[in-house]
Amino acid sequence: ILNVEQSPQSLHVQEGDSTNFTCSFPSSNFYALHWYRWETAKSPEALFVMTLNGDEKKKGRISATLNTKEGYSYLYIKGSQPEDSATYLCAFIRTEYGNKLVFGAGTILRVKS
Amino acid sequence: DSGVTQTPKHLITATGQRVTLRCSPRSGDLSVYWYQQSLDQGLQFLIQYYNGEERAKGNILERFSAQQFPDLHSELNLSSLELGDSALYFCASSSQSGGGTIYFGEGSWLTVV
C-alpha cells in the first residue's frame, strides 16, 4: 500500500511562532518527495522537490529536511506570518510505481495575528 | 500564474451527462497530470501523460478517459456522470516524466446535479 501520512492534520499558531509538520512515507524504492503550499481558492504551488537523503532546502522562512532511510520529511516555518496560512501538502514518488505522485492529506496551518 | 491553463473554470451538468475538461501545459512541458480533489478526499492522482503517451495511471474510473494531443494539450473526458463526480479537477504539468517540479493549473470545478 502506497501511503503518505501528514501530521498534524491542522495547526493554529500565533504570529511569530515557529512551527513544523511531518510527512511520513514508505522508505523503500524512494524516488522523490515534493512539498506544496495550497492557499484557499488557488492552485497548489511547489515549494521543494527533494531527492537525496539528508537533503535540506530553504526558501525564505520555510525550510525542509529529508530522511529517506526512515521515511520522513519535516517542513519548518520560522516566525509564522498570517500570509503563511495555507494547506501544506507533501507528495511522494516511488520508483516501482512509475511517475505516480501520491499526495498526503495535508496539514492546515492557520496563523493568527 | 503557473502557466498551466484549464478550461472551463466552472461547469454544472446533470447526472448521466458527459463533459470534457481541457488543459494546456506550461510552454515546453511534456508531462501532463490530472488530479481530482473532492470534498471528502485529498488530492487523488488520476493519470499522467508524457509526450502523448500514457505514463502512469492512478485511481481513474472506467467512465473517465484522457488523452494528450500532438500539441501537448490534454483533455479529460468524464462520462455517465454521477453526483459523486462533483469535484475540483486539477491539471498539472512538468518538464520531466517523473520527479521534477509540478505546476498546477487553477482547476475546473465540476458540479453534477
Side-chain angles (χ1 to χ4, degrees):
Chain A
I1 294 175
L2 196 61
N3 228 5
V4 181
E5 304 281 345
Q6 288 190 247
S7 62
Q9 198 170 24
S10 66
L11 201 51
H12 293 253
V13 301
Q14 288 294 129
E15 182 176 355
D17 288 349
S18 291
T19 184
N20 65 83
F21 329 129
T22 304
C23 173
S24 302
F25 52 87
S27 57
S28 60
N29 299 308
F30 174 85
Y31 186 80
L33 185 100
H34 294 214
W35 279 101
Y36 288 84
R37 181 170 177 274
W38 191 6
E39 288 182 72
T40 304
K42 295 187 179 179
S43 51
E45 175 193 350
L47 288 173
F48 306 114
V49 176
M50 307 176 83
T51 56
L52 299 174
N53 184 43
D55 241 358
E56 283 192 36
K57 299 238 176 172
K58 191 172 179 184
K59 196 179 206 177
R61 292 179 292 99
I62 305 177
S63 59
T65 61
L66 177 66
N67 184 323
T68 61
K69 292 184 179 177
E70 295 181 39
Y72 65 83
S73 176
Y74 294 138
L75 187 80
Y76 301 91
I77 302 179
K78 188 177 175 183
S80 304
Q81 299 296 310
E83 57 265 29
D84 295 329
S85 297
T87 298
Y88 291 83
L89 298 166
C90 76
F92 161 73
I93 296 177
R94 200 171 177 185
T95 52
E96 70 203 58
Y97 288 97
N99 306 305
K100 181 177 171 180
L101 193 65
V102 178
F103 280 83
T107 293
I108 300 169
L109 174 67
R110 292 290 173 256
V111 183
K112 296 179 192 175
S113 56
Chain B
D1 181 6
S2 67
V4 178
T5 305
Q6 288 188 248
T7 57
K9 288 195 180 345
H10 300 272
L11 190 57
I12 301 175
T13 190
T15 54
Q17 295 298 304
R18 172 191 166 97
V19 298
T20 297
L21 308 180
R22 195 178 190 278
C23 171
S24 293
R26 287 188 332 148
S27 176
D29 282 357
L30 298 177
S31 267
V32 170
Y33 305 77
W34 286 98
Y35 288 86
Q36 180 193 55
Q37 168 76 42
S38 50
L39 284 175
D40 57 348
Q41 294 194 24
L43 214 50
Q44 299 288 317
F45 171 72
L46 295 178
I47 199 164
Q48 181 209 358
Y49 281 83
Y50 180 77
N51 204 20
E53 297 200 357
E54 184 183 304
R55 184 56 64 98
K57 208 166 188 175
N59 299 324
I60 187 166
L61 299 172
E62 283 192 14
R63 300 183 285 107
F64 295 2
S65 65
Q67 54 183 326
Q68 186 180 26
F69 295 87
D71 67 353
L72 300 177
H73 90 271
S74 177
E75 292 181 355
L76 179 67
N77 300 298
L78 315 173
S79 61
S80 303
L81 285 167
E82 301 175 1
L83 295 177
D85 297 327
S86 296
L88 179 58
Y89 291 85
F90 279 112
C91 168
S93 75
S94 73
S95 58
Q96 301 176 31
S97 64
T101 299
I102 293 177
Y103 298 88
F104 284 81
E106 293 187 348
S108 292
W109 275 104
L110 173 66
T111 303
V112 183
V113 297

